[in-house]
Amino acid sequence: MAESLNLEQLVEQVMDELAKRLNLYRTTSHPERLPGTDAADRPPNPAAADAAVQLELEQQANGSAIPQPKWPDRLAELTGSTPARIAVWRSGTRPLTRTMLKLRRDHAAAVDAVYGEVSKQLLDEFSLFVVETVTENTEHYLKRPDLGRIIHPEGVEKIKNRCTMRPQVQIVVSDGLSANAIEANLRDIYPALLDSLKAHGLSWGVPFFVKGGRVACMDHIGEILQPEVLVLLIGERPGLVTAHSLSAYMCYRPRKGVVESDRTVISNIHRGGTPPIEAGAHIGAVLKKMIEQQASGVKLIL
């Protein structure tokens, strides 16, 4: 969240700087050039600057960048119902500068999430040892999703040596496609999950972290440890709304050959979606029902 806030502040600073330069351009008798823009070769346009200010005021009033909308109340309701990029307006045939800055900011955050790594400090904080899949690097991981489902032989031995066989609940954490999702949510969701397991009288084995894991790596882990239920907390594919989305995939007696409909998932876990603390508490209740009903996925009655 702090990183997101800083990026938002960066966009605001850039917009402020552009506004200052535009004002300077308007007020000086010998207008300065606007660095890096062709607009510097054009005469000042006070009308355009006033229109920009008016547009900003209207955007604050109705939650969009559309000037003088025909149905402002309905537009405000629409923009308030989704974080999607709607009602962003335009300048001629192009997006507004603010819109483009935010788009490039969010795209950069998504790339960072995919190529980032979960810090050792965070893993040590929760005593999570690390195993890897057979993928060689991030590029390999992106091109060969099937290999992200297989734990490396060294990891298999580590799991056998350090984990409890046939636990009631096995917790696994994986970076998946967003290391930033783990960094942003684990400190909230993990303690809440453990508290929920305690409240429902469930025991759990030794949790660990899978680097470069896909959702189906839980099947291989199920073959190794044979837990009654397994929950995988994994970073989701980042979009341009958030790069911090986490999912919790759960399965009763996971094993190779499990179909996707046999998995239960709570997705969109982040501060702007399902709050991680709330999700952690709910996961414990779902796991309890899985054990009682001996089922998961579409067969589970919630």
XYZ file of all heavy atoms in Angstrom, residues 232-300:
516
model
N -3.273 -23.180 -0.454
C -2.154 -22.520 -1.135
C -2.449 -21.029 -1.255
O -3.427 -20.632 -1.906
C -1.960 -23.116 -2.528
C -0.933 -22.432 -3.437
C 0.479 -22.597 -2.884
C -1.003 -22.988 -4.866
N -1.628 -20.201 -0.610
C -1.739 -18.748 -0.735
C -0.782 -18.319 -1.838
O 0.437 -18.445 -1.688
C -1.367 -18.060 0.587
C -2.147 -18.507 1.827
C -1.600 -17.822 3.082
C -3.627 -18.220 1.667
N -1.294 -17.820 -2.954
C -0.448 -17.584 -4.130
C -0.754 -16.218 -4.754
O -1.915 -15.794 -4.795
C -0.648 -18.723 -5.160
C 0.334 -18.599 -6.319
C -2.079 -18.787 -5.653
C 0.374 -19.832 -7.212
N 0.302 -15.543 -5.219
C 0.143 -14.253 -5.884
C -0.507 -14.425 -7.242
O -0.101 -15.275 -8.031
N -1.525 -13.613 -7.501
C -2.265 -13.732 -8.754
C -1.638 -12.908 -9.870
O -0.875 -11.972 -9.623
C -3.717 -13.291 -8.557
C -4.592 -14.348 -7.897
C -4.880 -15.536 -8.824
O -4.303 -15.595 -9.929
O -5.677 -16.396 -8.428
N -2.029 -13.218 -11.095
C -1.573 -12.466 -12.261
C -1.950 -10.989 -12.086
O -3.125 -10.658 -11.934
C -2.236 -13.022 -13.507
C -1.745 -12.445 -14.830
C -2.604 -12.979 -15.970
N -2.709 -14.427 -15.941
C -1.820 -15.254 -16.461
N -0.783 -14.763 -17.094
N -1.974 -16.561 -16.377
N -0.968 -10.065 -12.091
C -1.309 -8.652 -11.845
C -2.022 -8.016 -13.030
O -1.740 -8.334 -14.187
C 0.065 -8.010 -11.615
C 1.015 -8.877 -12.361
C 0.464 -10.276 -12.272
N -2.964 -7.147 -12.711
C -3.641 -6.371 -13.743
C -3.257 -4.912 -13.621
O -2.251 -4.579 -12.987
N -4.049 -4.043 -14.219
C -3.732 -2.621 -14.182
C -4.568 -1.885 -13.134
O -4.559 -0.660 -13.083
C -3.960 -2.008 -15.565
C -2.963 -2.495 -16.621
C -3.290 -1.896 -17.983
C -1.539 -2.145 -16.217
N -5.297 -2.643 -12.298
C -5.981 -2.050 -11.154
C -5.154 -2.269 -9.901
O -4.951 -1.366 -9.097
C -7.391 -2.647 -10.987
C -8.025 -2.166 -9.685
C -8.274 -2.257 -12.160
N -4.657 -3.489 -9.720
C -3.777 -3.770 -8.589
C -2.778 -4.852 -8.967
O -3.089 -5.742 -9.770
C -4.572 -4.215 -7.353
O -3.660 -4.498 -6.291
C -5.386 -5.465 -7.642
N -1.587 -4.764 -8.402
C -0.569 -5.804 -8.586
C -0.407 -6.603 -7.303
O 0.521 -7.383 -7.177
C 0.764 -5.172 -8.986
N -1.310 -6.391 -6.342
C -1.177 -6.985 -5.011
C -2.250 -8.021 -4.725
O -2.533 -8.306 -3.572
C -1.238 -5.881 -3.941
C -0.102 -4.927 -4.026
N -0.117 -3.675 -3.430
C 1.102 -5.021 -4.637
C 1.017 -3.063 -3.675
N 1.780 -3.860 -4.405
N -2.881 -8.573 -5.755
C -3.991 -9.500 -5.523
C -3.485 -10.911 -5.208
O -2.640 -11.460 -5.905
C -4.900 -9.548 -6.759
O -6.023 -10.355 -6.506
N -4.042 -11.465 -4.151
C -3.658 -12.798 -3.664
C -4.874 -13.716 -3.763
O -6.014 -13.251 -3.659
C -3.213 -12.684 -2.207
C -2.702 -13.928 -1.493
C -1.261 -14.216 -1.923
C -2.736 -13.718 0.017
N -4.634 -15.010 -3.969
C -5.721 -15.981 -3.941
C -5.381 -17.104 -2.981
O -4.205 -17.419 -2.764
C -5.983 -16.561 -5.336
O -6.668 -15.641 -6.146
N -6.420 -17.702 -2.424
C -6.255 -18.874 -1.562
C -6.972 -20.048 -2.222
O -8.201 -20.059 -2.320
C -6.837 -18.597 -0.184
N -6.196 -21.010 -2.719
C -6.755 -22.223 -3.324
C -6.746 -23.333 -2.278
O -5.741 -23.548 -1.596
C -5.931 -22.650 -4.546
C -6.139 -21.779 -5.753
C -5.421 -20.607 -5.910
C -7.064 -22.119 -6.735
C -5.620 -19.788 -7.016
C -7.269 -21.314 -7.840
C -6.542 -20.154 -7.972
O -6.743 -19.348 -9.070
N -7.860 -24.038 -2.170
C -7.996 -25.097 -1.163
C -8.487 -26.373 -1.831
O -9.280 -26.326 -2.775
C -8.992 -24.669 -0.077
C -8.512 -23.471 0.743
S -9.849 -22.677 1.659
C -10.466 -21.562 0.405
N -8.014 -27.498 -1.324
C -8.424 -28.773 -1.922
C -8.438 -29.870 -0.852
O -7.544 -29.925 0.001
C -7.469 -29.161 -3.057
S -8.008 -30.596 -4.017
N -9.468 -30.702 -0.906
C -9.543 -31.846 0.000
C -8.751 -33.004 -0.611
O -9.000 -33.412 -1.746
C -11.012 -32.251 0.201
C -11.185 -33.456 1.081
C -11.030 -33.354 2.467
C -11.472 -34.698 0.533
C -11.182 -34.463 3.279
C -11.630 -35.820 1.346
C -11.479 -35.697 2.712
O -11.614 -36.798 3.517
N -7.783 -33.489 0.147
C -6.898 -34.570 -0.288
C -6.392 -34.345 -1.717
O -6.720 -35.101 -2.658
C -7.606 -35.926 -0.172
C -7.859 -36.309 1.284
C -8.417 -37.694 1.458
N -8.545 -38.022 2.891
C -9.111 -39.103 3.393
N -9.602 -40.014 2.561
N -9.179 -39.296 4.683
N -5.584 -33.314 -1.911
C -5.049 -33.010 -3.243
C -4.119 -34.132 -3.732
O -3.400 -34.755 -2.944
C -4.269 -31.723 -3.017
C -3.889 -31.763 -1.572
C -5.055 -32.410 -0.873
N -4.134 -34.366 -4.991
C -3.319 -35.424 -5.597
C -3.241 -35.153 -7.101
O -4.041 -34.364 -7.637
C -3.947 -36.798 -5.356
C -5.324 -36.914 -5.972
C -6.169 -37.979 -5.348
N -7.508 -37.996 -5.949
C -8.471 -37.130 -5.655
N -8.241 -36.150 -4.781
N -9.647 -37.206 -6.222
N -2.320 -35.778 -7.782
C -2.194 -35.582 -9.223
C -3.446 -36.089 -9.927
O -3.974 -37.153 -9.589
C -0.956 -36.316 -9.749
C 0.355 -35.692 -9.269
C 1.558 -36.412 -9.843
C 2.845 -35.753 -9.346
N 4.056 -36.463 -9.833
N -3.900 -35.323 -10.890
C -5.103 -35.691 -11.612
C -6.345 -34.983 -11.124
O -7.426 -35.155 -11.692
N -6.201 -34.164 -10.051
C -7.348 -33.400 -9.556
C -7.796 -32.416 -10.639
O -6.977 -31.762 -11.282
C -6.960 -32.634 -8.272
C -7.981 -31.536 -7.970
C -6.866 -33.589 -7.097
N -9.111 -32.319 -10.854
C -9.628 -31.357 -11.831
C -9.880 -30.030 -11.127
O -10.048 -29.973 -9.903
C -10.926 -31.879 -12.491
C -10.639 -33.119 -13.311
C -11.985 -32.173 -11.434
N -9.894 -28.963 -11.914
C -10.002 -27.627 -11.329
C -11.299 -27.441 -10.552
O -11.355 -26.668 -9.603
C -9.888 -26.569 -12.429
C -8.530 -26.543 -13.128
C -7.378 -26.415 -12.147
O -7.437 -25.535 -11.267
O -6.423 -27.212 -12.248
N -12.352 -28.141 -10.965
C -13.631 -27.983 -10.265
C -13.597 -28.581 -8.868
O -14.528 -28.381 -8.086
C -14.752 -28.632 -11.082
O -14.512 -30.009 -11.267
N -12.531 -29.313 -8.544
C -12.398 -29.864 -7.191
C -11.660 -28.912 -6.257
O -11.416 -29.246 -5.093
C -11.652 -31.210 -7.234
C -12.554 -32.345 -7.699
O -13.785 -32.177 -7.627
O -12.024 -33.378 -8.153
N -11.269 -27.750 -6.769
C -10.601 -26.763 -5.919
C -11.605 -25.687 -5.501
O -12.473 -25.301 -6.291
C -9.440 -26.089 -6.645
C -8.399 -27.022 -7.214
C -7.204 -26.215 -7.718
N -6.502 -26.933 -8.768
C -5.637 -27.922 -8.574
N -5.363 -28.290 -7.342
N -5.058 -28.529 -9.587
N -11.448 -25.213 -4.290
C -12.209 -24.069 -3.809
C -11.254 -22.883 -3.752
O -10.100 -23.032 -3.332
C -12.779 -24.337 -2.403
O -13.662 -25.459 -2.478
C -13.546 -23.127 -1.883
N -11.688 -21.721 -4.186
C -10.788 -20.574 -4.222
C -11.475 -19.332 -3.673
O -12.666 -19.104 -3.900
C -10.293 -20.313 -5.672
C -11.456 -20.010 -6.612
C -9.277 -19.174 -5.710
N -10.702 -18.584 -2.917
C -11.092 -17.226 -2.518
C -10.095 -16.305 -3.214
O -8.899 -16.355 -2.927
C -11.017 -17.041 -0.999
C -11.972 -18.006 -0.303
C -11.359 -15.595 -0.615
C -11.861 -17.992 1.205
N -10.558 -15.502 -4.145
C -9.658 -14.684 -4.958
C -9.817 -13.204 -4.618
O -10.628 -12.820 -3.763
C -9.956 -14.909 -6.441
O -11.281 -14.520 -6.732
N -8.998 -12.403 -5.288
C -9.076 -10.943 -5.154
C -8.857 -10.496 -3.708
O -9.547 -9.606 -3.209
C -10.433 -10.446 -5.663
C -10.405 -9.005 -6.092
O -9.385 -8.495 -6.564
N -11.510 -8.300 -5.913
N -7.888 -11.124 -3.053
C -7.580 -10.764 -1.666
C -6.526 -9.655 -1.668
O -5.378 -9.862 -2.049
C -7.045 -11.988 -0.881
C -8.071 -13.124 -0.889
C -6.688 -11.589 0.541
C -7.537 -14.435 -0.322
N -6.921 -8.486 -1.308
C -6.007 -7.339 -1.141
C -6.798 -6.241 -0.462
O -8.008 -6.373 -0.242
C -5.411 -6.874 -2.489
C -6.423 -6.491 -3.516
N -6.887 -5.202 -3.682
C -7.089 -7.239 -4.436
C -7.770 -5.177 -4.664
N -7.918 -6.392 -5.139
N -6.155 -5.152 -0.145
C -6.814 -4.115 0.651
C -7.959 -3.442 -0.099
O -8.853 -2.877 0.525
C -5.783 -3.074 1.096
C -4.824 -3.615 2.147
C -3.761 -2.607 2.527
N -2.911 -3.089 3.599
C -1.891 -3.919 3.422
N -1.604 -4.338 2.206
N -1.173 -4.334 4.450
N -7.944 -3.485 -1.432
C -9.041 -2.909 -2.199
C -10.090 -3.928 -2.594
O -11.096 -3.589 -3.223
N -9.884 -5.202 -2.242
C -10.838 -6.266 -2.561
C -11.325 -6.915 -1.279
O -11.848 -6.239 -0.388
N -11.173 -8.261 -1.183
C -11.462 -8.930 0.079
C -10.328 -8.640 1.051
O -9.178 -8.980 0.759
C -11.572 -10.456 -0.140
O -12.608 -10.724 -1.091
C -11.899 -11.152 1.162
N -10.595 -8.001 2.176
C -9.506 -7.669 3.120
C -8.774 -8.934 3.566
O -9.412 -9.945 3.871
C -10.254 -7.013 4.287
C -11.532 -6.506 3.697
C -11.897 -7.510 2.637
N -7.430 -8.913 3.590
C -6.678 -10.132 3.915
C -6.977 -10.698 5.299
O -7.008 -11.924 5.462
C -5.209 -9.688 3.781
C -5.239 -8.193 3.761
C -6.551 -7.791 3.221
N -7.239 -9.854 6.273
C -7.563 -10.369 7.615
C -8.892 -11.125 7.574
O -9.034 -12.216 8.135
C -7.612 -9.218 8.631
C -6.217 -8.617 8.822
C -8.166 -9.697 9.965
C -6.174 -7.437 9.764
N -9.863 -10.541 6.885
C -11.171 -11.184 6.761
C -11.053 -12.496 5.993
O -11.691 -13.502 6.338
C -12.126 -10.235 6.044
C -13.542 -10.757 5.904
C -14.436 -9.753 5.209
O -14.284 -8.545 5.470
O -15.271 -10.177 4.381
N -10.240 -12.509 4.944
C -10.048 -13.731 4.153
C -9.408 -14.823 4.988
O -9.823 -15.995 4.921
C -9.185 -13.421 2.929
N -8.393 -14.455 5.774
C -7.726 -15.447 6.617
C -8.696 -16.117 7.576
O -8.669 -17.343 7.770
N -9.582 -15.321 8.169
C -10.565 -15.886 9.097
C -11.552 -16.796 8.365
O -11.945 -17.852 8.880
C -11.307 -14.748 9.793
N -11.934 -16.423 7.160
C -12.918 -17.206 6.401
C -12.323 -18.526 5.904
O -13.022 -19.549 5.838
C -13.418 -16.373 5.221
C -14.476 -17.055 4.412
N -15.652 -17.534 4.963
C -14.538 -17.371 3.086
C -16.383 -18.093 4.027
N -15.731 -18.011 2.879
N -11.040 -18.521 5.557
C -10.392 -19.740 5.051
C -10.480 -20.869 6.080
O -10.755 -22.020 5.739
C -8.919 -19.445 4.688
C -8.855 -18.562 3.437
C -8.158 -20.736 4.429
C -7.468 -18.004 3.167
N -10.274 -20.541 7.337
C -10.358 -21.555 8.384
C -11.734 -22.205 8.423
O -11.854 -23.428 8.582
N -12.791 -21.388 8.266
C -14.150 -21.923 8.276
C -14.398 -22.834 7.070
O -15.057 -23.881 7.182
C -15.155 -20.771 8.279
N -13.847 -22.455 5.915
C -14.016 -23.278 4.708
C -13.285 -24.614 4.859
O -13.822 -25.680 4.514
C -13.503 -22.514 3.468
C -13.544 -23.415 2.236
C -14.329 -21.262 3.222
N -12.075 -24.583 5.389
C -11.311 -25.824 5.586
C -12.038 -26.750 6.552
O -12.040 -27.979 6.369
C -9.908 -25.483 6.101
C -9.000 -24.719 5.130
C -7.705 -24.321 5.824
C -8.695 -25.556 3.896
N -12.649 -26.171 7.573
C -13.409 -26.979 8.537
C -14.549 -27.725 7.826
O -14.782 -28.924 8.061
C -13.981 -26.054 9.611
C -14.865 -26.744 10.642
C -14.082 -27.626 11.580
C -14.960 -28.138 12.709
N -14.225 -29.043 13.615
N -15.251 -27.030 6.947
C -16.353 -27.663 6.214
C -15.836 -28.727 5.243
O -16.493 -29.749 5.027
C -17.153 -26.603 5.470
C -17.956 -25.706 6.404
C -18.870 -24.772 5.630
C -19.707 -23.936 6.589
N -20.636 -23.026 5.885
N -14.670 -28.487 4.651
C -14.093 -29.489 3.753
C -13.844 -30.807 4.487
O -14.146 -31.895 3.982
C -12.765 -28.979 3.180
C -12.921 -27.952 2.092
S -11.289 -27.535 1.429
C -11.771 -26.327 0.216
N -13.298 -30.692 5.675
C -12.994 -31.897 6.447
C -14.287 -32.584 6.888
O -14.405 -33.817 6.844
C -12.115 -31.524 7.660
C -10.736 -31.065 7.161
C -11.980 -32.695 8.622
C -9.843 -30.503 8.233
N -15.276 -31.795 7.285
C -16.549 -32.384 7.728
C -17.270 -33.092 6.575
O -17.829 -34.171 6.737
C -17.441 -31.292 8.309
C -16.948 -30.737 9.632
C -17.780 -29.565 10.111
O -18.570 -29.013 9.301
O -17.629 -29.175 11.277
N -17.233 -32.465 5.396
C -17.965 -33.013 4.244
C -17.091 -33.911 3.378
O -17.593 -34.529 2.424
C -18.524 -31.869 3.393
C -19.501 -30.970 4.122
C -19.996 -29.816 3.251
O -20.065 -29.918 2.025
N -20.339 -28.702 3.889
N -15.764 -33.937 3.659
C -14.811 -34.711 2.854
C -14.949 -34.368 1.370
O -15.045 -35.248 0.497
C -15.021 -36.223 3.083
C -14.805 -36.654 4.519
C -14.926 -38.150 4.729
O -15.212 -38.908 3.798
N -14.689 -38.606 5.951
N -14.973 -33.076 1.096
C -15.159 -32.619 -0.287
C -14.618 -31.197 -0.419
O -14.399 -30.486 0.571
C -16.633 -32.647 -0.664
N -14.387 -30.795 -1.648
C -13.985 -29.410 -1.956
C -14.482 -29.082 -3.361
O -15.009 -29.947 -4.076
C -12.457 -29.248 -1.867
O -11.799 -30.156 -2.745
N -14.317 -27.832 -3.754
C -14.757 -27.405 -5.086
C -16.277 -27.397 -5.196
O -16.989 -27.050 -4.252
N -16.770 -27.814 -6.339
C -18.212 -27.773 -6.585
C -18.985 -28.781 -5.730
O -20.209 -28.683 -5.604
C -18.518 -28.015 -8.078
C -17.933 -26.912 -8.942
C -18.001 -29.381 -8.530
N -18.269 -29.744 -5.165
C -18.943 -30.744 -4.320
C -19.153 -30.237 -2.899
O -19.889 -30.851 -2.124
C -18.108 -32.028 -4.277
C -17.866 -32.659 -5.648
C -16.887 -33.821 -5.545
C -16.564 -34.379 -6.922
N -15.476 -35.391 -6.860
N -18.506 -29.148 -2.549
C -18.577 -28.608 -1.191
C -19.805 -27.724 -1.043
O -20.073 -26.863 -1.881
C -17.312 -27.806 -0.880
C -17.204 -27.230 0.526
C -17.007 -28.348 1.556
C -16.049 -26.226 0.607
